[in-house]
Structure formats: C-alpha cells, structure tokens
C-alpha cells in the first residue's frame, strides 16, 4: 500500500469516527463480543498435547483470539502441576511455552527461631492435603481428579474429587489509545486455574492466570488461621489480642519452570541491566541497557532495573527477533533457605538467590531437601552443573513474603499473595489483538501519528 493511500484510508476513518460521535450512531462502534465472555476454543488452535494419565487437558480461547492449551495434574508433593503449556496466537500455529511448572518448595521459618517447616517435602500439597472445592470457592467450573488417599496412589484407595477451579475472569483494561488516527480501547479476560491445599493451620491457594496477552501470572495465596502454637513477645510478633503477640514468620517459596520454547533444548538465558552512566542529557540522566548471556548454570539476585529472559535463538517472530519470555519477580522479600544456609559448606555457591538457572535433570525436583544423589537443593544443582552449557533451561524462581500478623487476620485470615509473572517478549511481532487502524504500526510510526489527541 502506498503511503498516500494509507494516509487517505486513515483520514476516512477519522471522518467516520467524527460522524459517529456527532450522531451517536452505535453501529460505528467495534461491535465485538464482550471480552468478559468466554469463547469456545477453536479446534485448529488447540495444541495436540498428549496429556499423560491421569493428567487432563484444558483449552480456552480468550478475548484477544489467542488460545491457551495445557495439561494439569495433582502431584502428591507439589499439588497442582502443569505440563505441555502452549499458546496459539490468533491465526497462528500453537507455540510450546513451558514443558512443566509447579511449586518446588515452601519453607516457613518463624522469627522466634523455634519453628521451621518445609511444607512441600514434609507434608505436600496433594493427596489428602488438597481440599475438595465447592461452588462458593469457584465462580467458574469445578474439575475432578482421582486423588490418592495415601502417597502417590500405588497402594491404597483413591477418590474422585473436585479439586481444580477453572475460571475465565475479567482482567481489566487491555489498551486505551486516544490518538486522532485510530482511537481504540478494549477490555480483556484471562484463564485462571487454582487449587487449595491445607498444611497445618494454613490453607494455600496455588494459582496460575493465563492472560489474553500471552502472560502467565503465578501466585501462591495464603489463608486459614494464624498458628495457635506460635505466640511470642513484641520483639518477634504483633499484638492481635490483649498483649497476645502472634509470631511473625516468612513464607519462602520457589517454583520450578522447565521451559519448552520451540521444543526441548536449544534455549538460552540472559540477564538485562539498565545502569546509570553518571552523565545527563538535556532533560534526563543517561542510562545504558545491556543483555548478558548466562552461559552456564547460575544463581542470580534481583536489583533495580534488572530482569531475566529465556529465549530460543533459532525460533524467530515475523520481525526476525528470537521468541522469549521475561521473568518478572515483582515484589519479593528476598531470602536464603535455612536448609541451604545449614549446608552451604558442601558447595561453592552462596545460598541466596532470586532466580536460579540449571539444565533439566529429572533427579533435581525439590528446591531444598531434594531426594536422590544429585544434590540437596538449587545451589548444589548449580555448583554441580557449572561446567555445562545452559540450553535445556530450568528456572527456579524464589519469592518471599515476610508475614507480620494483623488484627484483621482473625479469623479466618484474609488472603495474602506472593508470586511472579512470565511476560512474552517478542513472541509475536505485534500484539495479538491489533485494533483496526493500527495494523501498520510496527516500528517508527508515520508522522500522522504525532498529532496531539483531543479529549
């Protein structure tokens, strides 16, 4: 299309938009189905995931036209576990994003020093710990799974229970552009999967939210009740009664994500840092942004203006950029696992990390107290693999929450959350749901887009 024809077409849209406003003609609006409404998954967009029994498949097309497909199951220790996670952008073939994902440890040390639990390896989120859900806990669909009464089900009986809630939720404003050329705005929805597991006095919600933009929001929610066995003094807790101090404590969680971008192997990990140069331009300080390859298994710490991504350099989007996902740890009370500190003498790595990167090893399952002869936890996994080239990437994402109780948490406790987000970076050349008139905006826009919008 010539630039003149392109500009002429844009002017027609502006005129049409003006007439729409003058005469309040509702036919001039976009007329799409509300993004809050669920769409039946297009069979051509559903990935052919071969969910291994007893895992089951979930597929959902969202407001952007993108379709998520994945397998879900219940592990006796990890609880809700996902595998073979695909997304099909509108009109495109499904892209494999994640091979498997689950929580890999939850350590709860109390500030008094008198209690510390490793909830995943000592109790587990599956089996009898996983709660049966009812309609009052799920606004969407309840999904059943055969849950063993003992261990992994090799011995004893199992029972079929509703344990997974799948919901299509309103996810707020997707975009708002008030430019003169092609004004546009719309809302979006998301697919949310969640389960509830009870360990001690706490009840934990394992939650994954799959966005219409390709994002994945991973969260651990905590409710239930404050431990009645853990009351202390004012130096180690908070007064929630009549000089009765509930002990402060931490929820230190690590998730394990085995990536599958474009298939197994051939992937890379990178760290991005934006650093002040100490110099200033005419209006602002000058920053430099640089990517650094993480060539071997490593532990990484978060700092301001730092993030990480996993990419497949051999799989390119339509702009010729390698597809990748960014790891955004968000707000975290960074921590060191007590178990890692106690065993730090046995390996060369410092025990603390916000993200760890290793190659996949089937023996490396738990972030601490790992079973088998391949290392006790993530620092040892990294130390043992230092000589390897990092290509079959596993990310160990650590997010901590230091919980100082409040009066309002009795009883039961209001939900508190911790987690991280996985953001598509160059998965496609443009956004999934390009509004009419924005199709040509890819790179520096034409000068007509520089006009100042009106209210």
């Amino acid at each position: 299309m010539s630039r003149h024809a392109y500009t002429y077409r844009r002017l027609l849209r502006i005129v049409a938009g003006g007439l729409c406003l003058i005469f309040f003609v509702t036919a001039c609006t976009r007329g799409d189905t509300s993004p809050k409404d669920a769409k039946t998954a297009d069979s051509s967009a559903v990935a052919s995931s071969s969910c291994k029994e007893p895992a089951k498949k979930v597929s959902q097309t969202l407001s952007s036209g993108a379709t998520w497909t994945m397998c879900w199951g219940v592990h006796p220790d990890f609880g809700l576990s996902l595998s073979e996670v695909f997304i099909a952008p509108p009109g495109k073939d499904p892209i494999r994003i994640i091979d498997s994902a689950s929580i890999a440890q939850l350590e709860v040390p109390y500030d008094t020093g008198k209690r510390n639990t490793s909830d995943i390896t000592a109790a587990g989120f599956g089996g009898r710990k996983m709660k049966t859900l009812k309609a009052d806990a799920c606004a969407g669909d309840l999904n059943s799974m055969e849950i063993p009464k003992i261990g992994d089900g090799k011995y004893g009986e199992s029972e079929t229970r509703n344990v997974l809630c799948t919901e299509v939720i309103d996810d707020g404003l997707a975009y708002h552009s008030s430019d003169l050329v092609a004004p546009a705005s719309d809302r979006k929805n998301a697919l949310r999967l969640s389960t509830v597991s009870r360990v001690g006095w706490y009840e934990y919600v394992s939650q994954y939210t799959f966005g219409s933009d390709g994002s994945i929001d991973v969260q651990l929610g905590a409710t239930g009740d404050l431990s009645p066995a853990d009351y202390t003094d004012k130096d180690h807790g908070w007064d929630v009664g009549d000089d009765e101090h509930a002990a402060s404590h931490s929820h230190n969680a690590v998730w394990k994500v085995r990536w599958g971008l474009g298939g197994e192997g051939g992937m890379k990990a990178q760290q991005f840092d934006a650093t002040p140069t100490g110099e200033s331009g005419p209006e602002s300080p000058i920053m430099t942004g640089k990517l650094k390859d993480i060539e071997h298994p490593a532990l990484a710490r978060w700092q301001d203006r730092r993030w990480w991504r996993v990419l497949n350099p051999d799989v390119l989007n339509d702009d010729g950029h390698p597809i990748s996902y960014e790891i955004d740890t968000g707000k975290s009370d960074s921590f060191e696992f007590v178990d890692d500190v106690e065993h730090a003498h046995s390996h060369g790595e410092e025990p603390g990390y916000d993200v760890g990167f290793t190659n996949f090893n089937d023996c490396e399952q738990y972030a601490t107290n790992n079973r088998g002869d391949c290392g006790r936890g993530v620092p040892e996994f990294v130390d043992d693999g230092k000589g390897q080239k990092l290509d079959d990437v596993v990310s160990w994402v650590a997010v901590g929450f230091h919980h100082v109780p409040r009066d309002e948490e009795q009883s039961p406790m209001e939900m508190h959350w911790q987690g991280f987000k996985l953001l598509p970076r160059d998965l496609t050349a443009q956004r999934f749901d390009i509004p009419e008139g924005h199709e040509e905006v890819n790179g520096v826009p034409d000068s007509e887009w520089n006009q100042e919008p009106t209210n």
Side-chain angles (χ1 to χ4, degrees), residues 1-16 180-182 437 440 445-451:
M1 180 188 303
S2 72
R3 176 164 177 165
H4 293 295
Y6 175 65
T7 303
Y8 178 69
R9 191 181 73 174
R10 292 290 172 80
L11 288 172
L12 286 177
R13 288 199 184 104
I14 296 172
V15 173
L180 288 175
V181 178
E440 319 294 340
D446 289 344
S447 59
E448 61 183 347
W449 288 86
N450 296 331
Q451 302 174 68

Side-chain angles (χ1 to χ4, degrees), residues 42 44-46 61 64-67 87-95 318 428 432-433:
D42 181 355
S44 64
V46 176
T61 299
S64 65
T67 300
I87 189 169
K92 302 283 188 180
D93 292 333
I95 303 170
D318 289 344
T428 51
F432 292 158
D433 50 346

Side-chain angles (χ1 to χ4, degrees), residues 38-55:
K39 297 180 181 180
T40 303
D42 181 355
S43 59
S44 64
V46 176
S48 57
S49 303
S50 55
C51 300
K52 298 178 182 177
E53 290 189 359

